[in-house]
Amino acid sequence: MGAVDQQVQAAAKTPLIALLGNPNCGKTALFNRLTGARQKVANYAGVTIERKEGSFTLPGGRALRVLDLPGAYSLNAHTPDEAITRDVVAGLRAGEQTPDAVVCVVNATNLRLNLRLVLEIKRLGLPMVLALNMVDVAKKRGIEIDTARLSNELGMPVIETVAVHAGGEKGLLAALEAMPLELHVKPNPLSAIDAVPVEETQREVRRIIDATVSFDNDKGNLSEQIDHVVLHPVIGPVILAATMFLIFQAVFSWAAVPMDLIKNGVDAIGQWVGGAMADGPLRSLIVEGILGGVGSVLVFLPQILILFLFILVLEDCGYLPRAAFLLDRMMGGVGLSGRAFIPLLSSFACAIPGVMAARTIQNPRDRLVTIMIAPLMTCSARLPVYALVIAAFIPNRELAGGINLQGMVLFLLYAAGIISAMAVAWVFKRTMGAKGHQPLMLELPAYHWPHLHNLALGLWERARIFITRVGTVILTLMVLVWFLSSFPGAPEGATHPPIYYSIAGMLGRALAVVFEPIGFGWQICIALVPGMAAREVAVGALGTVYALSGGGEDVASSLTPIIAASWGLPTALSLLAWYVFAPQCLSTLSVVRRETGSVRYAFLMAGYMFALAYTASFLTFHIARAVLGS
């Protein structure tokens, strides 16, 4: 018997525990606390919904497997995420083992909402444990929960947990140790849930709450008091706009010192390598191809990390769902729900997770429109291009009130992406059939200080992804760009640099026929091609192109003055306009095809974004020339 077969048989003999609960109940934190590094992450077959399974050992030595199911409010599924949870726990998903027991995680401060799902799962007849999470927060508020009475009312063990604290899972481990688990228990059919009206379930929830929970000493919810200001119809949007504005100011102001360190480091390495090696193709590859290209991208790592630091802080402290509520009315005017805000915000990191996050939207038309406009959010891959062009052509000076002009331009570019996304959504609303605006229903988690451990892990993961991308995809493309830009070489008596006569030069000049009307020369056209794989590659490609055009060995640190001297301001503004709407990378288009189940939407996305990018660049270039008289 092979090792794989033995692993499959061993897994089949190990009980499977399913963790499920409402979103924002701390379920995934509890999963991480139980499993540590013993996790396997994949996608459910046929969909791009994440499947997380791990393993852990009980104090008595018994091994268990645990499955972290997507968050759900009800087994009467309204979203693809909820459908996955329903089908897995009910044993309806082909190729997926039915859980042998269920740990239902609930937020102790919001039992009125959470218990509805608990009662639905109970009707399936599976062995259950209720993990009463966030009990520390409930106790601080003065909410008193009689766990023994709650256990009697529900007919299952009720265990207090604090998933964010070390040791907060010990009570759950003890409860699972005491539970006699039978393998492959068959759940009751879903008709057992459908047979009970929703109204009856709500009445039962209210009865249980009245019998087991006392709010007499409730000190009030500080989050609600804060929300009186943060969600105010006038003050709230001002706070949101000011927060986003400060983020983009910090991207330039805070990143200056670490960016200079990276620039100087890459420059020093380039000079050392250049001085140590004899002139030839290998020296050109390392200095002009690898260092000139990869170094030009790596220098923007501090700006990307600062942007993600703010996003992680806002997410961890509970502000992002509030932003969704603030934007619900505006987004409703273009045919979207405020629930689309979370996928669109995710797209500021990368359009791929943004497109995938759209599956939480209930309405199919809203889900499709959100997918189609998600790439118009300014992803982090565009930040190196924006930063390069802004640093070259926008003066680094302060305006009134200490506002940095470069940060202001970056803020306007991000705002342009948001406004254009809303405009495109409005067009889709008219062409795909207008429907009434659906009110946004979203649980607002309590405010809390961000957990430094979570922030550190999030930043490390983003840095790891970026550096891995630089060391794999971007490095490979830079070597390819160098090769195409170096051969076959210049003929005898040539009047242009050798790259002009290379394969890349010939390709760039061919593309220039199409792009010259928007101000793009053949060097920019060369950079656009590898940018289809990853947008930030365009900066590295420019570094390689100008290094081979005679820009010098320290082009990684001097690319900014080189393009400032080579381009005019109309061209620079045109390139910024292009990247506001730039056609998507191939990876995003592939994910769009998978999420929509049709290749035509991927082609539609690429087509409409190319048309918008070309039109915006054409108008920007010619208006700028007319105004500047050049």
Side-chain angles (χ1 to χ4, degrees), residues 447-468:
Y447 289 106
H448 57 80
W449 290 107
H451 296 94
L452 296 180
H453 180 68
N454 292 343
L455 295 181
L457 285 178
L459 287 178
W460 165 249
E461 183 66 13
R462 176 49 51 183
R464 186 188 64 80
I465 290 172
F466 181 80
I467 293 174
T468 301

Side-chain angles (χ1 to χ4, degrees), residues 330-410:
M330 181 187 75
M331 299 179 76
V334 299
L336 291 175
S337 163
R339 190 176 289 273
F341 174 77
I342 303 299
L344 295 181
L345 185 71
S346 301
S347 299
F348 282 116
C350 176
I352 291 175
V355 169
M356 294 172 61
R359 61 176 178 254
T360 61
I361 300 174
Q362 297 179 7
N363 184 282
R365 186 197 67 86
D366 286 356
R367 189 182 310 132
L368 178 59
V369 172
T370 302
I371 288 173
M372 296 303 290
I373 67 172
L376 287 171
M377 300 295 105
T378 302
C379 66
S380 59
R382 287 182 237 189
L383 185 56
V385 180
Y386 285 168
L388 174 69
V389 178
I390 289 173
F393 290 92
I394 305 300
N396 184 16
R397 67 166 181 258
E398 290 189 356
L399 303 176
I403 297 174
N404 182 275
L405 179 59
Q406 293 181 333
M408 170 67 81
V409 173
L410 182 64

Side-chain angles (χ1 to χ4, degrees), residues 22-335:
N22 292 177
N24 302 314
C25 68
K27 174 175 58 64
T28 299
L30 186 58
F31 174 79
N32 292 336
R33 183 68 61 190
L34 290 171
T35 61
R38 299 177 299 279
Q39 301 180 10
K40 294 183 294 183
V41 181
N43 286 336
Y44 286 97
V47 294
T48 51
I49 296 176
E50 190 176 80
R51 183 189 187 280
K52 296 178 67 176
E53 181 180 327
S55 61
F56 64 98
T57 303
L58 294 173
R62 187 180 190 184
L64 295 178
R65 293 182 296 140
V66 58
L67 182 65
D68 183 15
L69 291 172
Y73 289 104
S74 171
L75 294 185
N76 295 310
H78 296 287
T79 69
D81 275 8
E82 289 185 331
I84 287 288
T85 295
R86 176 201 63 201
D87 292 347
V88 171
V89 78
L92 301 177
R93 186 161 184 83
E96 191 74 33
Q97 178 184 335
T98 304
D100 300 302
V102 173
V103 174
C104 204
V105 185
V106 298
N107 181 349
T109 68
N110 198 2
L111 286 178
R112 196 175 302 278
L113 176 64
N114 286 229
L115 285 182
R116 174 186 169 187
L117 178 64
V118 176
L119 294 178
E120 290 181 350
I121 298 169
K122 180 184 175 183
R123 293 176 193 133
L124 292 177
L126 293 171
M128 285 184 66
V129 175
L130 183 73
L132 195 63
N133 200 34
M134 304 184 190
V135 289
D136 55 332
V137 178
K139 290 177 180 178
K140 287 179 181 178
R141 281 185 50 181
I143 299 175
E144 300 176 5
I145 303 174
D146 187 339
T147 54
R149 178 74 182 273
L150 182 60
S151 176
N152 290 332
E153 291 287 346
L154 294 174
M156 66 183 72
V158 175
I159 307 300
E160 295 184 354
T161 61
V162 183
V164 295
H165 292 165
E169 79 286 3
K170 288 183 177 179
L172 177 60
L173 293 176
L176 293 174
E177 184 84 79
M179 177 182 288
L181 293 175
E182 298 181 13
L183 290 173
H184 313 309
V185 179
K186 184 176 178 61
N188 295 329
L190 286 176
S191 57
I193 298 174
D194 298 333
V196 181
V198 175
E199 295 83 359
E200 183 175 328
T201 300
Q202 292 299 102
R203 284 196 297 269
E204 180 67 3
V205 168
R206 288 193 293 269
R207 187 192 67 78
I208 293 174
I209 294 292
D210 292 340
T212 62
V213 183
S214 171
F215 299 96
D216 294 342
N217 299 318
D218 190 353
K219 300 173 184 177
N221 190 341
L222 179 61
S223 295
E224 293 179 357
Q225 299 174 27
I226 297 174
D227 282 341
H228 285 310
V229 177
V230 172
L231 298 182
H232 189 275
V234 176
I235 301 175
V238 173
I239 294 175
L240 176 60
T243 301
M244 301 307 293
F245 184 78
L246 288 174
I247 290 175
F248 298 123
Q249 290 290 311
V251 165
F252 272 94
S253 301
W254 296 6
V257 173
M259 287 181 71
D260 286 340
L261 292 175
I262 295 176
K263 284 181 181 180
N264 295 335
V266 172
D267 187 23
I269 294 173
Q271 292 179 357
W272 178 78
V273 173
M277 298 183 67
D279 193 17
L282 181 59
R283 178 180 182 275
S284 175
L285 169 62
I286 295 176
V287 175
E288 297 161 344
I290 296 177
L291 292 177
V294 171
S296 298
V297 180
L298 190 62
V299 74
F300 296 103
L301 175 61
Q303 291 181 317
I304 291 173
L305 292 184
I306 289 172
L307 176 63
F308 274 95
L309 172 63
F310 278 99
I311 292 177
L312 289 171
V313 167
L314 293 178
E315 181 179 23
D316 204 27
C317 74
Y319 180 72
L320 290 189
R322 273 83 179 178
F325 270 102
L326 288 172
L327 294 173
D328 181 50
R329 179 174 297 180
M330 181 187 75
M331 299 179 76
V334 299

Side-chain angles (χ1 to χ4, degrees), residues 428-443:
F428 277 125
K429 176 184 178 181
R430 296 298 184 273
T431 56
M432 297 177 64
K435 295 185 178 180
H437 174 53
Q438 296 182 335
L440 175 64
M441 297 182 64
L442 188 67
E443 182 182 358

